[in-house]
Structures are given as structure tokens and as C-alpha cells.
Amino acid sequence: DTGVSQNPRHKITKRGQNVTFRCDPISEHNRLYWYRQTLGQGPEFLTYFQNEAQLEKSRLLSDRFSAERPKGSFSTLEIQRTEQGDSAMYLCASSLTSVSGLGDNEQFFGPGTRLTVL
Amino acid sequence: GENVEQHPSTLSVQEGDSAVIKCTYSDSASNYFPWYKQELGKRPQLIIDIRSNVGEKKDQRIAVTLNKTAKHFSLHITETQPEDSAVYFCAVHGSARQLTFGSGTQLTVLP
């Protein structure tokens, strides 16, 4: 499968625990995005990387959230001290976009990681 | 930031009829407008997109129209089929260089 992959697909954790999700984008895609989707809503932007550089973070990304893309390939999203309000589907997407960012191209989404915080 | 509004939130049509979903946006610098289809429990998948230098784009039964002056764009599905039933999201790529999504439309095609 050459699409975007995410692991794990499901994660159940207790409030206060830390969790880490992984996203493997389509190879050669230089942009990688993280979104959060709650039931009945559209995906909400969290952050994105251009290669290994994290270029933008949403105000939704509190200081408990951190994302990395150390080698410009896979990315991890960590949530520390999880809260029940963090329960959601976490989606990763990748795209091949010019450095200038002009004329954005299709974002391909992964299957998501469903987080449940008890 | 960008504000995207999508209507209606639910839409039921008879098989073979047309469906239209509308979105408005706030950032006049927005330049890319994709539409995604998301089936229950699955990932969003792009079905059609349009750039700001084009007013209309069609792909078989699906078309998108863009009115930059009014800052709205619409998805048109003709000859609907039961497999078109899903949640449809519009999205806008603006000056913030990120996609902002609408709240979604649950389309149900009745056989």
C-alpha cells in the first residue's frame, strides 16, 4: 500500500497518560499535516511540516501537544497528560507542494487514529 | 482566520435526482477549493477540486462552481446513486496556507 498510513488505528488510554501516534506519508511528499476530527465535524487543522520544518501550529495545539518530523519522512504526534476532551480521530495527510506554497495540491489522508480517553 | 460555512447539514434526495451543496468562505485570498467525501469510518477522499482561476470544473457526474466575487462555491452531483451516500466536506486553502474545512453535509440517496 503506497498511501498514507497511521499507527495505531485505535488507542484507548486513561486520563493523564501520554500517547504517541505515528504517520507515514506517501513517499516523496514534502508536506505533512495533522488534523483532529470530532464526531459530526470536519477535520480541524493542527499543524503542518514542510520537509522536517514545522511551519505552522493551530491555536488548538496546546502545549500538551507536540509534533515532530525529524528526517522529513514519518511524523509523530504526542499528547501529554491526556484529557477526555482530547478524544477524537487524529488524521494525517500529505501532499506534494511547491516550496512557495502557491497552488496547493491534493492532500491525501491516512485512515486516522481514533483516540479514546477514559 | 478563514471561516467556511457549509449548507445544508443534511440532504436527502431520490436516486437519480441531483444534489447541490454550498459553501461560503471569508478570505478573499483563498485560491484552492477541494471537496472531500467521507464514508462512515473511512478517511476523507478528494472527489473534485477547483482553483481560483477557474469558474467551473466537471468530472462525469460531479461538478464544482466557484464565484470568487461572492466568495462561494458549490458541489453538484447529478444522477445520484445510493453509493453517493456519505458525508461531503468542502475545504478552502487560503493565505494561512492550510485547509479549513466546512462542517459537512450528510447526503442520503434514497433508492
Side-chain angles (χ1 to χ4, degrees):
Chain A
D1 186 359
T2 57
V4 179
S5 61
Q6 292 185 245
N7 288 289
R9 296 291 308 278
H10 304 273
K11 179 70 177 179
I12 300 174
T13 191
K14 293 183 178 179
R15 187 179 54 186
Q17 297 295 304
N18 300 342
V19 294
T20 300
F21 310 141
R22 175 175 170 131
C23 171
D24 287 89
I26 294 171
S27 59
E28 298 163 4
H29 276 192
N30 53 356
R31 280 204 176 175
L32 186 148
Y33 306 80
W34 285 100
Y35 293 88
R36 182 175 70 186
Q37 186 176 28
T38 53
L39 197 62
Q41 297 298 316
E44 295 176 294
F45 170 80
L46 293 178
T47 188
Y48 85 86
F49 293 83
Q50 175 94 16
N51 300 312
E52 66 275 10
Q54 187 174 16
L55 295 188
E56 191 160 342
K57 294 192 288 187
S58 162
R59 58 179 173 77
L60 294 175
L61 213 67
S62 75
D63 56 7
R64 296 186 297 105
F65 288 69
S66 62
E68 295 182 341
R69 194 183 184 197
K71 297 182 180 179
S73 57
F74 73 91
S75 174
T76 58
L77 177 68
E78 180 183 15
I79 308 175
Q80 297 181 325
R81 305 182 302 280
T82 53
E83 301 172 356
Q84 288 184 323
D86 297 331
S87 295
M89 175 74 82
Y90 289 84
L91 292 164
C92 174
S94 69
S95 71
L96 183 62
T97 304
S98 65
V99 174
S100 67
L102 298 175
D104 199 7
N105 294 324
E106 177 181 357
Q107 292 187 21
F108 293 83
F109 281 84
T113 295
R114 181 166 295 285
L115 172 66
T116 302
V117 181
L118 302 176
Chain B
E2 179 77 81
N3 183 41
V4 179
E5 293 191 358
Q6 183 172 345
H7 299 280
S9 57
T10 60
L11 179 61
S12 293
V13 299
Q14 290 294 135
E15 183 178 358
D17 287 350
S18 296
V20 180
I21 303 170
K22 299 180 179 180
C23 285
T24 61
Y25 60 97
S26 59
D27 185 354
S28 56
S30 299
N31 56 17
Y32 175 63
F33 308 87
W35 284 90
Y36 284 84
K37 175 183 180 182
Q38 187 174 30
E39 297 178 28
L40 190 62
K42 296 190 176 181
R43 71 189 77 188
Q45 292 197 308
L46 182 80
I47 55 171
I48 196 166
D49 57 13
I50 192 168
R51 299 189 186 279
S52 57
N53 58 348
V54 176
E56 184 173 358
K57 183 177 179 180
K58 188 174 182 180
D59 182 3
Q60 300 183 336
R61 296 186 299 108
I62 296 172
V64 56
T65 58
L66 171 65
N67 184 327
K68 285 179 57 182
T69 302
K71 289 189 280 188
H72 69 70
F73 59 113
S74 301
L75 176 71
H76 304 253
I77 306 175
T78 59
E79 300 171 21
T80 52
Q81 302 166 3
E83 51 265 39
D84 293 330
S85 296
V87 179
Y88 291 81
F89 293 100
C90 64
V92 176
H93 183 263
S95 53
R97 297 190 176 184
Q98 60 183 251
L99 278 182
T100 301
F101 284 79
S103 54
T105 297
Q106 173 69 62
L107 174 64
T108 303
V109 180
L110 304 169

